[in-house]
């Protein structure tokens, strides 16, 4: 097997996949999910059909927190070498959250480019530093292999200025203080998949809903507007992130609670969202459903309400709406949340088929619905693998 390894790192998680290159196509072989890696790390390996091949906790107690991502990556490679000693890797590809304006396409990375990308760390503090640490870890493990960076911001390059610019002095806008948008690899995969299925409609809102959540309005497959802006804390309330918040609140907290930048960052990214609204019950949507507590219910309902509001905004940006697509962990699997959101969008002519919604079918709207509603699994790793091949063959 001549393989490609994709690496998708978060602040406390790591998702990897191995693809075999067959006739210039990347064919999935294995997926690796490593969660809670800064505490009691868990690892699961599945094959291309979703069969679980390995599932266990990882003994990382003696590994410093700053070395956990590399240790997990070494575990993935060791598993592959043990199970398939004949396998050889051709290249590695990485999801990198922020590429700014400079990096609008996947690219081969070197040491200087990694240093350039580190300038975006303050814009995505939960992800960018870990993305770059994993590039460095891969280089240390296999310095001879090419590495490709794929950016979550690149799908949104080309949005109209009226969407991207804030009402700030022009010199700040020109210095890069404007909206970027994220989750681009997921949106790109969904658009490509819809085209393959001959299901893409002209004015489509894609809802990538999970602990990290955003939406994107596309016109004929091109990004026109998105819920996330300058940073990945903007937009919808998420597992631990606030989403939209009046900047006056932050000034108030600075002045009256004497919160410095670090304290505000911790509040915005780690203590808020579903976790904060639920009173610390959980940042996990399934656990909130199971909690049977009014604060958990409030967090779920607030999320659905804000999602419906954002669909309305994106509909205005698109000049109408033909299609809504749910993806991401919550979007793909939580029929209750989808129902709550769509009930608030009835004014758009949305009508669900309850049975199909409960079964997570591809199309969950009724025949009478004026807007088609779909559920479609995303696959960022597959998108990364595709971009690796594109970079290697250019």
């Amino acid at each position: 097997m001549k393989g490609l390894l994709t690496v998708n790192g978060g602040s406390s998680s790591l998702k990897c996949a191995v693809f075999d290159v067959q006739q210039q196509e990347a064919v999935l072989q294995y997926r690796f999910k490593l969660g809670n890696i800064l505490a009691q790390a868990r690892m699961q390996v599945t094959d291309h059909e979703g069969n679980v091949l390995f599932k266990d906790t990882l003994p990382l107690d003696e590994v410093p927190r700053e070395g956990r991502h590399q240790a997990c990556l070494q575990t993935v490679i060791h598993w592959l070498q043990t199970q398939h000693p004949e396998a050889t890797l051709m290249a590695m590809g990485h999801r990198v959250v922020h590429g700014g304006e400079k990096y609008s396409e996947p690219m081969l990375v070197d040491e200087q480019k990694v240093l350039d990308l580190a300038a975006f760390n303050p814009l995505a503090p939960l992800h960018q530093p870990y993305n770059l640490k994993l590039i460095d870890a891969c280089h240390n493990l296999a310095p001879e292999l090419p590495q490709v960076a794929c950016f979550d911001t690149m799908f949104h390059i080309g949005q109209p200025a009226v969407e991207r610019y804030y009402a700030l002095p022009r010199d700040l806008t020109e210095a890069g203080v404007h909206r970027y948008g994220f989750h681009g690899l997921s949106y790109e995969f969904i658009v490509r998949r819809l085209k393959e299925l001959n299901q893409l409609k002209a004015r489509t809102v894609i809802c990538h809903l999970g602990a990290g959540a955003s939406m994107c309005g596309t016109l004929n497959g091109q990004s026109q507007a998105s819920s996330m802006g300058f940073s990945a804390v903007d937009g919808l309330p998420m597992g631990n992130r606030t989403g939209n918040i009046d900047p006056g609140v932050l000034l108030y907290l600075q002045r009256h609670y004497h919160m410095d930048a670090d304290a505000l960052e911790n509040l915005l990214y780690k203590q808020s969202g579903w976790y904060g609204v639920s009173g610390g019950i959980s940042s996990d949507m399934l656990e909130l459903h199971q909690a049977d507590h009014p604060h958990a219910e409030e967090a779920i309902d607030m999320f659905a309400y804000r999602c419906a509001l954002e669909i309305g905004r994106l509909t205005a940006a698109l000049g109408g709406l033909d299609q809504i697509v749910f993806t991401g962990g919550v979007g793909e699997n939580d029929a209750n949340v989808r129902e709550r959101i769509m009930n608030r969008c009835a004014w758009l002519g949305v009508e669900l088929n309850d049975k199909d919604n409960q079964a997570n079918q591809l199309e969950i709207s009724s025949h009478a619905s004026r807007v088609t509603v779909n559920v479609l699994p995303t696959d960022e790793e597959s998108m990364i693998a595709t971009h690796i091949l594109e970079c290697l063959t250019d």
Side-chain angles (χ1 to χ4, degrees), residues 292-366:
D292 191 27
H293 192 285
H295 292 164
E297 171 62 23
E298 186 176 357
I300 299 169
D301 208 41
M302 177 187 288
F303 178 62
Y305 172 70
R306 297 286 177 83
C307 285
L309 291 184
E310 187 61 23
I311 289 172
R313 187 187 81 86
L314 294 175
T315 298
L318 296 174
L321 185 62
D322 303 310
Q323 180 177 33
I324 296 170
V325 182
F326 286 98
T327 193
V330 173
E332 295 167 23
N333 300 298
D334 196 325
N336 178 270
V337 167
R338 291 195 301 260
E339 181 181 6
R340 293 181 190 225
I341 297 169
M342 292 296 87
N343 283 346
R344 292 185 179 275
C345 293
W347 63 277
L348 286 167
V350 175
E351 185 177 311
L352 287 186
N353 179 307
D354 292 336
K355 182 178 178 181
D356 289 342
N357 181 44
Q358 292 296 325
N360 300 328
Q361 293 296 308
L362 171 64
E363 185 170 333
I364 62 172
S365 47
S366 73

Side-chain angles (χ1 to χ4, degrees), residues 106-156:
M107 67 174 186
L108 291 165
V109 292
D110 54 30
E111 185 175 350
Q112 182 56 53
K113 288 176 179 174
V114 170
L115 291 175
D116 291 344
L117 292 171
F120 301 120
N121 283 358
L123 307 187
L126 284 188
H127 299 88
Q128 190 87 351
Y130 298 100
N131 300 156
L132 301 184
K133 283 181 180 180
L134 286 164
I135 291 176
D136 185 59
C138 285
H139 177 74
N140 292 334
L141 291 169
E144 75 284 0
L145 293 182
Q147 296 193 63
V148 174
C150 306
F151 304 102
D152 255 351
T153 48
M154 62 190 183
F155 182 74
H156 306 291

Side-chain angles (χ1 to χ4, degrees), residues 218-268:
T218 65
L219 186 62
N220 297 319
Q222 301 298 311
S223 177
Q224 299 297 303
S226 52
S227 62
M228 284 182 170
F230 179 69
S231 71
V233 75
D234 195 17
L236 306 172
M238 299 168 240
N240 293 92
R241 287 171 260 175
T242 57
N244 292 339
I245 187 169
D246 182 346
V249 172
L250 307 184
L251 296 175
Y252 173 80
L253 294 174
Q254 284 181 311
R255 289 173 177 158
H256 292 272
Y257 287 85
H258 308 292
M259 297 178 74
D260 61 13
D262 289 339
L264 286 174
E265 183 177 89
N266 185 63
L267 174 73
L268 294 172

Side-chain angles (χ1 to χ4, degrees), residues 273-295:
W274 313 339
Y275 177 82
V277 175
S278 71
I281 291 175
S282 183
S283 61
D284 181 272
M285 185 59 70
L286 180 60
E287 292 179 2
L288 291 176
H289 281 301
Q290 295 172 340
D292 191 27
H293 192 285
H295 292 164

